[in-house]
């Protein structure tokens, strides 16, 4: 039997599975505009990219009502390129970056929504904060002065492994971190989003409390780097 991939069918399959409170981010990194348009024409409006330059180029070619999510690591000196349009930055993991996002948001007279990336994987990943680092930022005077950013939740990436039990523990960890941080509700911090789960583990992530999944290959097919 030959396998014919249809982006529209893939999207429908995933969507039919999702509970109402879970948002789907279609991760379109490395994929051409015609693939994004196929998803768009099937009703998808939220797209995730992991490189700012690529997201900026695609934003210029896609319809205006697309919501662009930056899901990758963000370099401070590149925030300015996406500040006018980005709708959610998932990978905020230090205060200096947050300050820069706030500064660029002011220039565009807008509030930029962000998630704190939390370290949950056992493997040594360079990015992400520990609970206490996130807590320290949220409790600080300096943070309360950043009026043009809003922390909407947390994001995490599980260890790259087939061990579902380990992934589950890491997802539960992120949910617990979210629950604790949620108590620190302030003007610019209202936690409602838990961004966790990708093609291989989104069902598990949803069972562990995810409210936002980031799915690439299950929609667009495997990526050739
Ligand atoms: C690429 C990527 C995804 C999507 O991965 P798939 O396995 O293709 O679904 C999700 N989150 C982040 C941060 C990514 O970089």
């Amino acid at each position: 039997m030959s396998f014919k991939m249809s982006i529209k069918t893939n999207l429908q399959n995933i969507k039919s599975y999702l509970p109402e409170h879970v948002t789907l981010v279609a991760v379109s990194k490395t994929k051409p505009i015609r693939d994004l348009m196929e998803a768009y024409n099937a009703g998808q409006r939220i797209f995730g990219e992991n490189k700012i330059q690529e997201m900026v180029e695609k934003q210029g070619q896609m319809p205006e009502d697309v919501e662009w999510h930056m899901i990758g690591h963000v370099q401070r000196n590149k925030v300015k390129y996406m500040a006018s349009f980005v709708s959610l930055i998932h990978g905020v993991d230090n205060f200096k970056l947050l300050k820069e996002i706030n500064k660029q948001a002011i220039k565009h007279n807008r509030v930029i929504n962000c998630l704190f990336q939390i370290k949950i994987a056992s493997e040594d990943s360079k990015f992400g904060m520990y609970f206490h680092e996130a807590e320290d930022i949220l409790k600080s005077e300096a943070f309360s002065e950043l009026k043009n950013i809003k922390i909407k939740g947390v994001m995490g990436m599980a260890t790259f492994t087939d061990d579902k039990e380990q992934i589950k523990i890491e997802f539960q960890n992120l949910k617990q971190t979210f629950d604790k941080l949620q108590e620190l509700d302030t003007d610019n911090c209202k936690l409602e989003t838990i961004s966790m789960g990708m093609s291989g583990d989104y069902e598990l992530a949803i069972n562990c409390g995810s409210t936002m999944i980031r799915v690439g290959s299950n929609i667009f097919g495997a990526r050739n780097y």
Side-chain angles (χ1 to χ4, degrees):
M1 201 176 79
S2 72
F3 173 73
K4 184 177 178 302
M5 194 198 65
S6 155
I7 290 170
K8 186 179 177 182
T9 310
N10 293 344
L11 264 175
Q12 283 168 344
N13 287 342
I14 295 167
K15 284 228 167 129
S16 67
Y17 174 86
L18 294 188
E20 201 141 331
H21 68 277
V22 178
T23 301
L24 172 63
V25 178
V27 176
S28 48
K29 62 192 186 196
T30 78
K31 297 296 176 180
I33 291 293
R34 65 165 188 282
D35 287 5
L36 278 73
M37 276 312 295
E38 195 175 331
Y40 181 89
N41 288 330
Q44 183 64 28
R45 290 295 178 272
I46 303 178
F47 291 85
E49 291 284 338
N50 72 336
K51 295 207 169 72
I52 293 175
Q53 192 54 45
E54 185 176 343
M55 185 171 78
V56 169
E57 277 167 27
K58 287 173 170 172
Q59 192 261 346
Q61 298 175 67
M62 290 289 290
E64 290 252 330
D65 62 344
V66 168
E67 283 181 37
W68 294 96
H69 287 205
M70 174 43 56
I71 63 169
H73 175 66
V74 177
Q75 283 171 280
R76 236 179 320 156
N77 61 348
K78 292 188 178 159
V79 172
K80 55 179 178 281
Y81 302 116
M82 62 175 172
S84 66
F85 69 88
V86 68
S87 85
L88 184 64
I89 302 176
H90 290 231
V92 176
D93 67 356
N94 65 81
F95 185 72
K96 276 181 161 177
L97 174 58
L98 208 50
K99 257 185 90 162
E100 175 64 14
I101 296 168
N102 187 71
K103 182 178 148 191
Q104 296 301 328
I106 291 170
K107 286 189 187 165
H108 295 279
N109 194 25
R110 60 188 298 250
V111 172
I112 296 182
N113 295 322
C114 301
L115 304 180
F116 273 171
Q117 182 168 355
I118 305 294
K119 226 179 256 203
I120 54 169
S122 62
E123 66 201 353
D124 194 28
S125 80
K126 283 175 286 184
F127 309 121
M129 291 185 274
Y130 291 108
F131 164 74
H132 69 86
E133 296 173 290
E135 185 185 38
D136 285 350
I137 291 177
L138 295 178
K139 283 184 169 170
S140 70
E141 180 81 28
F143 173 76
S144 67
E145 286 162 10
L146 305 181
K147 309 283 186 207
N148 288 63
I149 53 100
K150 189 160 268 182
I151 306 298
K152 302 280 277 186
V154 296
M155 178 272 216
M157 306 245 298
T159 303
F160 189 72
T161 171
D162 290 330
D163 182 351
K164 293 278 178 207
E165 203 46 45
Q166 182 178 352
I167 296 174
K168 187 173 167 189
I169 289 168
E170 293 174 1
F171 283 161
Q172 287 171 337
N173 207 329
L174 185 61
K175 170 72 164 92
Q176 280 164 13
T177 301
F178 171 85
D179 289 343
K180 283 189 276 177
L181 291 174
Q182 201 177 28
E183 292 164 18
L184 301 169
D185 184 274
T186 64
D187 279 347
N188 54 357
C189 176
K190 299 250 180 288
L191 299 200
E192 50 198 41
T193 300
I194 306 178
S195 167
M196 66 181 182
M198 327 201 314
S199 290
D201 55 24
Y202 69 84
E203 285 111 334
L204 180 57
I206 291 169
N207 288 337
C208 294
S210 172
T211 69
M212 185 173 277
I213 59 172
R214 311 176 307 269
V215 178
S217 33
N218 273 19
I219 298 173
F220 296 105
R223 289 175 292 272
N224 312 305
Y225 286 102

